[in-house]
Amino acid sequence: MKNKNRNARLGAVFGRIVLFGLLVVLFAGSASAAPQVDIKELTAKAEAGDGEAQLKLGACYYQGRGIPKDYEKAVSWWKKSAEGGSPAAQYFLGACYANGDGVEKDERKAVELYLRAAEAGFAPAQRKLGVAYMDGMGGVPKSPEKTFYWLTRSASQGDASAQTGLGLCFAEGRGTPLDYVTAMKWYRKAAEQGDNEARICIGDLYLRGNGVDKDFKEAEKWFSLAAEKGNFWGINELAECYLNGEFVKQDRVHAVELFRQAAENGFPDAQYHLGMCYALGVGIKKDTVAAQKWLDLATANGFVPPYSDSSSP
């Protein structure tokens, strides 16, 4: 397959900073049905030094829950809670420094805060610390072994993204001997919790026969499950298989159909491939106007071709 960076891209995904879901948990509610918060009462408790109230008030300001959104005030309250020893506040504050939300971006400070929270046993911080050692974030030396160590601690506590990341470590021999069977075990744990990247990783193992019998239909099932939840990386992967006749009988018309499905849902790789199919008349009638449209969209969405051979999509 021409796209050789699939695992690197997935590796970046499991390190994402997503605060919303964790913030909702603070209020024991779902994103769609979270309970109302008495801001006046919560503020009074926070001002009196209640660390849990400070944590929640910071979340209210960060989300704009019952009060206008204000990242700077969120940071202010999380600092107070973090200074009182709250691992959750240390993690959220670290994420703010990593993102530059309400404070000047400072990845070194972010890593310091992740470390404090991770050493206290906070699973999301352990995951982020593992990613920091993978990427060299905040000036820490890259260390596959420390990446593996922290992802293992986080995954063992049930963090789905860390479980996917740990599976990638086993699948790539990153900080541990290569072991596809164990990789599949962790991917399945994460997939059971609804992690979309894990579904794609499972599909990839079936596609290549790594640790399991090669099974294109099973791979297609897992890629399609991920697509149902909005991740079209796997559909793009299937399209490339049909385009190149890899793992399956070549069917360029079906490849174009799959590229279109992913492209219309905003996946830039598929937008590029669809544009090239139109440009070259591969699997579809040549159409330079449509080609330019999809290639422009791919570029606008940040896609950079991984190769320079303009004779192939």
Side-chain angles (χ1 to χ4, degrees):
M1 246 172 239
K2 289 189 175 108
N3 187 352
K4 301 298 183 183
N5 297 317
R6 59 187 180 278
N7 284 337
R9 204 162 55 232
L10 286 170
V13 169
F14 77 75
R16 63 196 181 280
I17 299 173
V18 181
L19 294 184
F20 183 74
L22 287 172
L23 293 173
V24 167
V25 172
L26 291 178
F27 300 95
S30 68
S32 60
Q36 294 298 312
V37 180
D38 187 331
I39 296 296
K40 186 176 180 180
E41 179 182 353
L42 194 61
T43 301
K45 289 181 178 179
E47 289 176 343
D50 186 316
E52 184 70 13
Q54 292 167 344
L55 174 67
K56 289 185 176 181
L57 186 58
C60 288
Y61 275 113
Y62 191 90
Q63 290 179 284
R65 180 194 296 271
I67 200 168
K69 184 180 292 188
D70 188 326
Y71 287 157
E72 290 185 1
K73 289 184 178 179
V75 166
S76 176
W77 285 111
W78 279 339
K79 279 183 177 179
K80 293 179 186 296
S81 184
E83 288 166 1
S86 168
Q90 290 161 358
Y91 169 76
F92 293 143
L93 185 58
C96 286
Y97 275 107
N99 292 336
D101 291 341
V103 69
E104 185 175 350
K105 186 171 181 177
D106 186 338
E107 290 188 343
R108 190 177 297 275
K109 182 67 174 179
V111 171
E112 291 175 1
L113 287 159
Y114 289 150
L115 178 60
R116 288 170 60 189
E119 289 178 337
F122 195 63
Q126 292 169 339
R127 166 169 48 84
K128 282 302 302 177
L129 193 58
V131 176
Y133 280 111
M134 180 181 74
D135 295 336
M137 175 183 174
V140 301
K142 292 184 180 181
S143 171
E145 292 74 22
K146 289 185 178 180
T147 292
F148 179 76
Y149 170 78
W150 285 110
L151 288 178
T152 299
R153 288 190 62 178
S154 181
S156 297
Q157 292 195 67
D159 186 291
S161 292
Q163 290 170 344
T164 299
L166 187 58
L168 279 165
C169 287
F170 280 108
E172 298 176 351
R174 181 185 297 166
T176 187
L178 189 145
D179 184 342
Y180 290 122
V181 173
T182 303
M184 178 66 89
K185 182 190 81 169
W186 286 108
Y187 290 155
R188 288 192 181 279
K189 285 179 180 290
E192 287 169 3
Q193 296 192 66
D195 190 88
N196 239 4
E197 283 68 46
R199 293 179 176 126
I200 291 172
C201 291
I202 291 172
D204 198 59
L205 290 185
Y206 276 114
L207 186 66
R208 299 166 198 289
N210 291 335
V212 292
D213 291 335
K214 190 178 292 187
D215 189 331
F216 188 84
K217 289 297 182 185
E218 193 69 11
E220 189 169 15
K221 181 190 85 172
W222 284 100
F223 288 151
S224 297
L225 279 172
E228 288 175 7
K229 301 298 182 181
N231 190 320
F232 288 87
W233 183 89
I235 295 299
N236 184 73
E237 185 85 346
L238 287 177
E240 290 193 37
C241 289
Y242 280 109
L243 180 72
N244 300 317
E246 191 171 3
F247 306 114
V248 67
K249 183 179 178 181
Q250 189 175 54
D251 186 341
R252 289 180 166 178
V253 172
H254 188 44
V256 169
E257 292 171 354
L258 291 170
F259 281 137
R260 186 182 303 282
Q261 180 185 347
E264 289 178 346
N265 282 278
F267 193 75
D269 295 54
Q271 291 169 341
Y272 173 81
H273 288 302
L274 182 58
M276 290 300 294
C277 285
Y278 270 117
L280 301 172
V282 174
I284 197 169
K285 185 178 179 180
K286 190 171 183 178
D287 185 333
T288 56
V289 174
Q292 195 62 55
K293 166 195 166 183
W294 288 110
L295 292 173
D296 286 346
L297 273 173
T299 300
N301 287 325
F303 181 78
V304 177
Y307 49 88
S308 59
D309 182 3
S310 61
S311 65
S312 171

